[in-house]
Amino acid sequence: GQNIDQPTEMTATEGAIVQINCTYQTSGFNGLFWYQQHAGEAPTFLSYNVLDGLEEKGRFSSFLSRSKGYSYLHLKELQMKDSASYLCAVMDSNYQLIWGAGTKLIIKP
Amino acid sequence: GAVVSQHPSWVICKSGTSVKIECRSLDFQATTMFWYRQFPKQSLMLMATSNEGSKATYEQGVEKDKFLINHASLTLSTLTVTSAHPEDSSFYICSARSDSGRFSYEQYFGPGTRLTVT
């Protein structure tokens, strides 16, 4: 079966860094997405990795290792507004998104 | 990036009535549209996938006669919740994808519709 695993909840301090891991097992791979979702809102796109390596975008960066079925989302200089759920999703061989359950990130002052 | 709108953003209806939710891609042609449902503190659950001009493909456990999906054009899909019950109260989110061109394969999400059935 297809499976995406990510931690349920993480806590970090304002100004610090945090890394959210995601492991996956899917039928085929056409890229991995990270989305941010604030409570009561739709997900917003953060990053897309299809090749191994690191993609950096401001305070956020995402890493992919296809051989290990592993990705992480790295957030630095955390701000209170970063408190949200972070969803990992893999696009399978049919170009369908397989979603993880999301990681709720709590930022403390 | 591409923009997807949803209407209404929230709706309250009485049990037994039907509710229609519209999803529009504003600046690109959506070959495929997806409908998701999300209950509080849970992840997105894919309900169905629709391609323009063809019948929607429903996920296991989703009643196709209760959740009617119409993808009449490359910019509009509708989800109709028929004979709504309180347990249908949820956050419904659509997303749209173009299978070619600049926006190919990335899903763009609408802002969601919060449905409350009383």
Side-chain angles (χ1 to χ4, degrees):
Chain A
Q2 309 205 90
N3 195 48
I4 311 283
D5 285 319
Q6 51 181 131
T8 304
E9 186 174 298
M10 298 182 72
T11 303
T13 305
E14 187 178 16
I17 60 174
V18 71
Q19 178 171 303
I20 303 173
N21 296 323
C22 171
T23 58
Y24 63 90
Q25 290 179 310
T26 57
S27 55
F29 180 83
N30 279 300
L32 185 144
F33 294 81
W34 284 97
Y35 285 86
Q36 180 190 61
Q37 186 179 26
H38 286 100
E41 299 180 11
T44 55
F45 171 80
L46 288 179
S47 68
Y48 171 65
N49 294 67
V50 66
L51 299 176
D52 289 350
L54 189 68
E55 295 280 342
E56 295 183 82
K57 191 184 294 184
R59 295 187 298 113
F60 292 24
S61 57
S62 56
F63 171 84
L64 173 67
S65 168
R66 288 172 297 171
S67 61
K68 296 181 179 178
Y70 167 72
S71 172
Y72 68 69
L73 179 69
H74 190 264
L75 296 77
K76 63 181 181 181
E77 302 167 12
L78 287 170
Q79 302 174 10
M80 297 304 292
K81 67 178 182 180
D82 297 329
S83 292
S85 287
Y86 291 86
L87 307 175
C88 172
V90 173
M91 187 171 283
D92 69 9
S93 56
N94 294 318
Y95 295 98
Q96 301 281 53
L97 279 181
I98 311 300
W99 292 89
T103 298
K104 182 179 180 180
L105 177 63
I106 300 168
I107 309 297
K108 295 185 175 180
Chain B
V3 180
V4 176
S5 70
Q6 256 182 268
H7 178 79
S9 55
W10 60 270
V11 58
I12 302 173
C13 70
K14 292 186 177 181
S15 186
T17 61
S18 295
V19 175
K20 180 185 283 188
I21 303 170
E22 292 187 351
C23 176
R24 293 181 184 273
S25 57
L26 299 185
D27 52 359
F28 70 104
Q29 293 186 325
T31 315
T32 307
M33 285 187 169
F34 305 85
W35 286 96
Y36 294 87
R37 181 168 52 182
Q38 187 175 36
F39 292 105
K41 299 184 179 180
Q42 295 186 23
S43 189
L44 296 172
M45 290 174 47
L46 180 65
M47 299 175 66
T49 302
S50 73
N51 293 294
E52 184 263 341
S54 61
K55 289 184 179 180
T57 302
Y58 290 80
E59 295 298 301
Q60 195 171 11
V62 178
E63 301 174 58
K64 62 180 181 181
D65 294 330
K66 179 172 180 63
F67 299 98
L68 303 179
I69 292 172
N70 186 304
H71 192 162
S73 75
L74 285 172
T75 59
L76 173 64
S77 176
T78 60
L79 167 68
T80 302
V81 183
T82 62
S83 187
H85 291 287
E87 56 264 33
D88 298 324
S89 298
S90 187
F91 192 44
Y92 291 86
I93 309 171
C94 75
S95 70
R97 185 184 81 191
S98 172
D99 293 344
S100 65
R102 176 185 169 194
F103 303 121
S104 61
Y105 298 119
E106 182 175 335
Q107 286 190 29
Y108 296 90
F109 285 87
T113 297
R114 186 159 303 283
L115 170 64
T116 302
V117 184
T118 61

